[in-house]
Amino acid sequence: MDYTFSNKISSLQPSAIREILKTTADPSIIPLAAGNPAPDAFPIDEVREISANILKNRPIDALQYGVTEGYQPLINTITEWMKNKENIGRSFDSTLVVSGATQVMDLTTKVLCNEGDTVICEEPSFIGSLNCFRSYGCKLKGVPVEADGMDVNALEDALKNTENIKFIYTIPNFQNPSGATMSYEKRKKLYELAKRYNVVILEDNPYGYLRVDGEDNPTIKSMDEDGLVIYAGSFSKILSPGLRVAYCIAPQQIIAKMTVGKQAADVHTPCLNQMIVDEWFKNYDVDAHIAKIQKIYKKKIDLMCDCINTQLGDFVEYVKPQGGLFIWCKLPDNVDMLEYVQKAVEKKVAVVPGNAFLMNDTDTTQYVRLNFSTPSDEGIVEGIRLLGETAKEYK
Amino acid sequence: MDYTFSNKISSLQPSAIREILKTTADPSIIPLAAGNPAPDAFPIDEVREISANILKNRPIDALQYGVTEGYQPLINTITEWMKNKENIGRSFDSTLVVSGATQVMDLTTKVLCNEGDTVICEEPSFIGSLNCFRSYGCKLKGVPVEADGMDVNALEDALKNTENIKFIYTIPNFQNPSGATMSYEKRKKLYELAKRYNVVILEDNPYGYLRVDGEDNPTIKSMDEDGLVIYAGSFSKILSPGLRVAYCIAPQQIIAKMTVGKQAADVHTPCLNQMIVDEWFKNYDVDAHIAKIQKIYKKKIDLMCDCINTQLGDFVEYVKPQGGLFIWCKLPDNVDMLEYVQKAVEKKVAVVPGNAFLMNDTDTTQYVRLNFSTPSDEGIVEGIRLLGETAKEYK
């Protein structure tokens, strides 16, 4: 049989990152292309203890159907935590538990966008989210990311000159892939512009607690007096990505529609997984665990930057990020970036070619994305050494 | 702020079943409206033991990111199991692990349908699937369900006279809500028609192993020489719905597109949950567990039918199903069905009004759906007694 696929799926390619990850399932390739939390950042003993208790004391709750909104104790835990920690959540807001933060992007697009509508994104931006918006037939309008976040003048131009903009997508902290963090001034300006042009902001904050240097900025959602902001939070980077538990805090009118959409998409997030997260908050010191992870990542980012400075200092340009998982490196202008990445894979080190993060991934860029959380310390040293060796071929 | 929602989500109402379930969170209401597995059907001790072993021996695999296709050992387990048990899976087929079978409906619609395309459904049919198709802006074309399954003459008329049909959705075993099982002859005819009109079949088989009487019919997918059939299987009814693990077996060209769609929607199904299912197959006797569940449900369905015959015998008409979870009861023509359901809730017993399962839920029907798996045996006796009491008001 000849299959005819929908227009929206036909336009979509498999995520380049995940395809690269697959080719690097080969354990001899050093994985600087991934975005996995460091294995020693998982609270393994805690999860083991919590799971045993849940399946001993409340097995039916863990195994039976749940409601789409989420496990109510976890909703309460998240709501209170976000209120105390981030001043997020006003009387008009509500909380939805989702199956990983990507589902927030999915449901936001489902409830706000018709095919052909436009989503404004930072350029470059996280390919998973871009593909999600594309999967609904949305057009992507890129706004450049500067060292202190989105170019707000370019944003205003885009808001003025583009039709049917439904939301602005931003990763304000340690942006993927650029590593940039948006300044407080730009956050205020972004909010003001969204309000003036009557456009929703989708604030995606997976890396916010992976700060290793500098001071936190308030979330955009904490400024949300007007019900403009959909906030996506995740436990993937502070607890476990494999459990697939994340959350959305947004005006309850929007959450109500997202709940209907989630009901039709996957009914609910697994109960056992939600209960594990909730019991983690109730029985362990989450802030202490976050502090522990920050230490792990500080060590790794410092190590990688030292190695880059030594091995690649005269080859790449980069700004050391204050946290997150990624370093965004610019190759010299005379280097064919895709060729360099290919040569690096042949030397058994994988990085992500930067064009994967562009609105149109056939555009060219000199950037590659390096990740320091997945490889071991030895892997970082050896990986950067191999990238340096690859660079020598261009001298 | 005034929110403008997408056309597809605006047309969608919250699932009537889930709304009824919420009003009946009140434990004093007897839940004949649900579709939950019986609590004693869960292999609790097994899941507890399996989880402890996974989190002891391979915690990082359980907590780290996984690939979108699914946990490879589970893919192998499912593929082999379906081959042996159902003769499902040919050289052109592939297997995708999903987050509950509803995600198969979601991904099928995402990859095959543009807005305005038509999905042919049995009428009545499972509201969750209907809402999923609606959430992509699809039109629904209903084909009546008879005691031996879909009216294949009406199906042929629909195939002849409807434009842009992308697939035919069927629950061939113990259909939700009608309880009907499609005969072998009709399965063959359905396949032949789909082939002749070049339309995909989406075969949803959540209840297939809940047979308590009679003989199995071959799945439609087992007849699939031509790559026409997308098969949705689930562990929700034989292991646990709260774990949200299900699978899709379909031609690999379709699975490849569904994988891209899933990547953009929720990245992957939780690793811990997939490993639990895989270890269950590897370390326990799944067939023996299925036989145990069938015994539980045979007792419950017999009890409910006995009660109906005694308490409601002169009021409702129904055909006793050979398995599944539901009994589909027709009220007398002079009874206002919705009023009856409302009166029943006031007497503290909940059933689902049959219009929830129609293509257009503002159409009227005399049917209500009763579930026998969720209530305790005492709940079944008392629930049907209360429905009988409600019926007396119409005499």
Side-chain angles (χ1 to χ4, degrees):
Chain A
M1 184 179 183
D2 280 338
Y3 310 108
T4 310
F5 295 107
S6 66
N7 299 334
K8 47 194 181 297
I9 208 77
S10 300
S11 69
L12 199 62
Q13 295 305 313
S15 151
I17 297 182
R18 298 196 78 82
E19 294 307 306
I20 286 178
L21 281 180
K22 264 190 251 170
T23 65
T24 62
D26 176 353
S28 73
I29 293 187
I30 296 171
L32 308 187
N36 292 5
D40 50 344
F42 295 129
I44 291 171
D45 294 336
E46 290 86 332
V47 172
R48 186 187 303 128
E49 195 173 306
I50 290 166
S51 301
N53 281 332
I54 291 169
L55 289 169
K56 184 175 163 219
N57 300 322
R58 290 184 294 151
I60 301 296
D61 293 346
L63 299 178
Q64 190 55 280
Y65 278 114
V67 295
T68 304
E69 289 79 356
Y71 176 61
Q72 191 60 51
L74 178 60
I75 293 175
N76 299 344
T77 295
I78 292 168
T79 304
E80 194 185 346
W81 183 54
M82 281 291 102
K83 187 75 205 166
N84 295 336
K85 201 167 177 81
E86 303 288 353
N87 191 28
I88 280 178
R90 288 183 168 71
S91 58
F92 53 71
D93 281 318
S94 191
T95 302
L96 176 69
V97 180
V98 294
S99 307
T102 293
Q103 195 173 52
V104 180
M105 316 319 148
D106 182 79
L107 294 173
T108 298
T109 321
K110 180 173 282 194
V111 307
L112 294 181
C113 296
N114 294 317
E115 282 189 34
D117 284 346
T118 293
V119 177
I120 293 187
C121 303
E122 291 155 341
E123 181 157 29
S125 188
F126 174 45
I127 181 172
S129 296
L130 301 183
N131 275 342
C132 177
F133 308 147
R134 290 174 180 133
S135 79
Y136 285 92
C138 290
K139 293 177 193 154
L140 307 181
K141 171 72 186 167
V143 168
V145 184
E146 302 169 314
D148 61 348
M150 204 185 262
D151 176 343
V152 286
N153 295 321
L155 172 62
E156 183 157 18
D157 283 348
L159 288 166
K160 264 187 202 155
N161 299 317
T162 317
E163 289 197 335
N164 298 320
I165 295 170
K166 291 305 163 69
F167 62 90
I168 303 164
Y169 174 67
T170 178
I171 307 173
N173 294 317
F174 324 122
Q175 201 248 8
N176 181 358
S178 70
T181 292
M182 198 185 292
S183 66
Y184 182 47
E185 289 64 37
K186 283 195 168 177
R187 290 173 196 234
K188 283 191 294 188
K189 182 73 184 174
L190 165 58
Y191 184 83
E192 185 195 307
L193 287 171
K195 184 174 174 179
R196 190 181 325 149
Y197 289 90
N198 202 40
V199 169
V200 168
I201 297 169
L202 173 53
E203 180 178 23
D204 185 14
N205 191 20
Y207 316 114
Y209 300 124
L210 304 186
R211 178 175 283 282
V212 302
D213 210 357
E215 293 296 320
D216 282 338
N217 280 321
T219 60
I220 304 162
K221 182 65 182 166
S222 69
M223 309 169 185
D224 188 18
E225 300 287 349
D226 307 277
L228 297 179
V229 184
I230 298 174
Y231 182 84
S234 171
F235 301 107
S236 289
K237 306 302 186 288
I238 61 168
L239 172 56
S240 152
L243 290 177
R244 313 301 305 132
V245 182
Y247 54 97
C248 179
I249 300 180
Q252 72 85 15
Q253 283 175 270
I254 295 176
I255 291 287
K257 293 290 185 188
M258 291 174 93
T259 305
V260 169
K262 181 172 167 64
Q263 203 169 69
D266 71 355
V267 189
H268 67 82
T269 296
C271 304
L272 173 62
N273 307 242
Q274 295 187 67
M275 292 169 79
I276 290 173
V277 176
D278 187 51
E279 293 294 324
W280 187 54
F281 272 86
K282 291 198 163 108
N283 295 295
Y284 296 90
D285 186 341
V286 169
D287 283 334
H289 182 73
I290 289 173
K292 180 189 153 186
I293 292 178
Q294 289 171 338
K295 248 179 159 165
I296 293 170
Y297 288 149
K298 175 152 181 62
K299 194 170 155 239
K300 283 187 174 287
I301 193 172
D302 286 349
L303 175 62
M304 185 173 269
C305 289
D306 286 349
C307 292
I308 292 174
N309 295 343
T310 314
Q311 306 280 341
L312 287 163
D314 55 350
F315 191 71
V316 305
E317 293 170 34
Y318 75 101
V319 178
K320 185 177 178 179
Q322 294 192 321
L325 301 176
F326 306 110
I327 298 176
W328 187 232
C329 291
K330 185 167 182 283
L331 306 184
D333 288 339
N334 63 325
V335 170
D336 179 330
M337 183 274 291
L338 288 171
E339 184 196 70
Y340 177 84
V341 170
Q342 188 52 46
K343 283 179 191 286
V345 168
E346 285 159 20
K347 286 195 190 286
K348 303 284 183 188
V349 56
V351 303
V352 185
N355 60 307
F357 306 98
L358 303 181
M359 301 303 111
N360 180 353
D361 66 8
T362 59
D363 286 354
T364 57
T365 170
Q366 289 307 100
Y367 282 90
V368 296
R369 192 193 75 176
L370 273 54
N371 164 261
F372 54 82
S373 60
T374 310
S376 64
D377 292 354
E378 299 71 37
I380 289 174
V381 173
E382 177 63 7
I384 302 295
R385 193 188 67 76
L386 292 171
L387 288 180
E389 229 178 64
T390 311
K392 282 187 192 136
E393 300 190 19
Y394 293 88
K395 281 169 188 169
Chain B
M1 185 178 183
D2 280 338
Y3 310 108
T4 310
F5 294 107
S6 66
N7 299 333
K8 47 194 182 294
I9 209 76
S10 299
S11 68
L12 198 62
Q13 295 305 313
S15 150
I17 297 183
R18 298 196 78 82
E19 294 307 307
I20 286 178
L21 281 181
K22 265 190 252 168
T23 64
T24 60
D26 176 354
S28 73
I29 293 188
I30 296 171
L32 308 188
N36 291 6
D40 49 345
F42 295 131
I44 291 171
D45 294 336
E46 290 86 332
V47 172
R48 186 188 302 129
E49 196 173 303
I50 291 167
S51 300
N53 282 332
I54 291 169
L55 290 169
K56 183 175 161 220
N57 301 321
R58 291 184 294 151
I60 301 297
D61 292 346
L63 299 179
Q64 190 55 280
Y65 277 115
V67 295
T68 305
E69 289 78 356
Y71 176 62
Q72 191 60 51
L74 178 61
I75 293 175
N76 299 344
T77 296
I78 291 168
T79 304
E80 195 185 345
W81 184 53
M82 280 291 102
K83 187 75 205 167
N84 295 336
K85 201 168 176 78
E86 303 287 354
N87 192 26
I88 280 178
R90 287 182 168 71
S91 58
F92 54 70
D93 282 317
S94 191
T95 303
L96 175 69
V97 180
V98 293
S99 307
T102 294
Q103 194 173 52
V104 180
M105 317 318 149
D106 182 79
L107 295 173
T108 298
T109 320
K110 180 173 281 196
V111 307
L112 294 181
C113 296
N114 294 317
E115 282 188 33
D117 284 346
T118 292
V119 177
I120 293 187
C121 303
E122 291 155 341
E123 182 158 29
S125 187
F126 174 46
I127 182 173
S129 297
L130 301 183
N131 275 342
C132 178
F133 308 147
R134 289 173 180 134
S135 79
Y136 284 92
C138 290
K139 294 177 193 155
L140 306 181
K141 171 72 186 166
V143 168
V145 184
E146 301 168 315
D148 61 348
M150 204 184 262
D151 177 342
V152 286
N153 295 322
L155 172 63
E156 184 157 18
D157 283 347
L159 288 166
K160 264 187 202 153
N161 300 316
T162 317
E163 289 197 336
N164 297 319
I165 295 170
K166 291 304 164 71
F167 63 89
I168 303 163
Y169 174 66
T170 178
I171 307 173
N173 294 316
F174 323 121
Q175 201 249 6
N176 181 359
S178 70
T181 291
M182 197 185 295
S183 66
Y184 182 48
E185 289 64 36
K186 282 194 169 178
R187 290 172 196 234
K188 284 191 292 188
K189 183 73 184 173
L190 165 59
Y191 185 81
E192 184 195 309
L193 287 171
K195 185 173 174 182
R196 189 180 326 150
Y197 289 91
N198 202 40
V199 169
V200 167
I201 296 169
L202 173 53
E203 179 178 24
D204 185 15
N205 190 20
Y207 316 113
Y209 301 124
L210 303 186
R211 177 174 285 282
V212 302
D213 210 357
E215 293 296 320
D216 282 339
N217 280 321
T219 60
I220 303 163
K221 181 65 181 165
S222 70
M223 308 170 186
D224 188 17
E225 299 287 349
D226 306 277
L228 297 179
V229 185
I230 298 173
Y231 181 83
S234 172
F235 301 107
S236 288
K237 305 302 187 286
I238 61 168
L239 173 56
S240 152
L243 290 177
R244 312 301 306 131
V245 182
Y247 54 97
C248 179
I249 300 179
Q252 72 86 16
Q253 283 176 271
I254 296 176
I255 291 287
K257 293 291 184 187
M258 291 173 92
T259 305
V260 170
K262 180 170 168 65
Q263 203 169 68
D266 71 354
V267 190
H268 67 82
T269 296
C271 304
L272 173 61
N273 307 239
Q274 294 187 67
M275 292 169 79
I276 290 173
V277 176
D278 187 50
E279 293 294 325
W280 186 55
F281 272 86
K282 290 198 163 107
N283 295 296
Y284 295 91
D285 186 341
V286 169
D287 283 334
H289 183 73
I290 289 172
K292 181 189 152 185
I293 292 178
Q294 288 171 338
K295 248 180 161 165
I296 293 170
Y297 288 150
K298 173 149 182 66
K299 194 168 157 242
K300 283 187 175 285
I301 193 173
D302 285 348
L303 176 62
M304 185 174 266
C305 290
D306 286 348
C307 292
I308 292 174
N309 295 343
T310 314
Q311 307 279 340
L312 287 162
D314 55 350
F315 191 71
V316 305
E317 292 170 34
Y318 75 101
V319 177
K320 185 178 178 179
Q322 294 192 321
L325 300 176
F326 305 111
I327 299 176
W328 186 233
C329 292
K330 185 166 183 281
L331 307 183
D333 287 339
N334 64 323
V335 171
D336 179 329
M337 183 274 290
L338 288 171
E339 184 196 69
Y340 177 85
V341 171
Q342 188 53 46
K343 282 179 193 284
V345 168
E346 284 158 20
K347 287 195 190 284
K348 304 283 184 191
V349 57
V351 303
V352 185
N355 60 307
F357 306 98
L358 302 181
M359 301 304 110
N360 180 352
D361 66 8
T362 59
D363 286 353
T364 57
T365 170
Q366 289 307 99
Y367 282 91
V368 295
R369 192 193 75 176
L370 273 54
N371 164 261
F372 54 83
S373 60
T374 310
S376 64
D377 291 354
E378 298 70 37
I380 290 174
V381 172
E382 177 63 6
I384 302 296
R385 193 189 67 75
L386 291 171
L387 289 180
E389 230 179 62
T390 312
K392 282 188 192 137
E393 300 190 19
Y394 292 89
K395 281 169 190 170

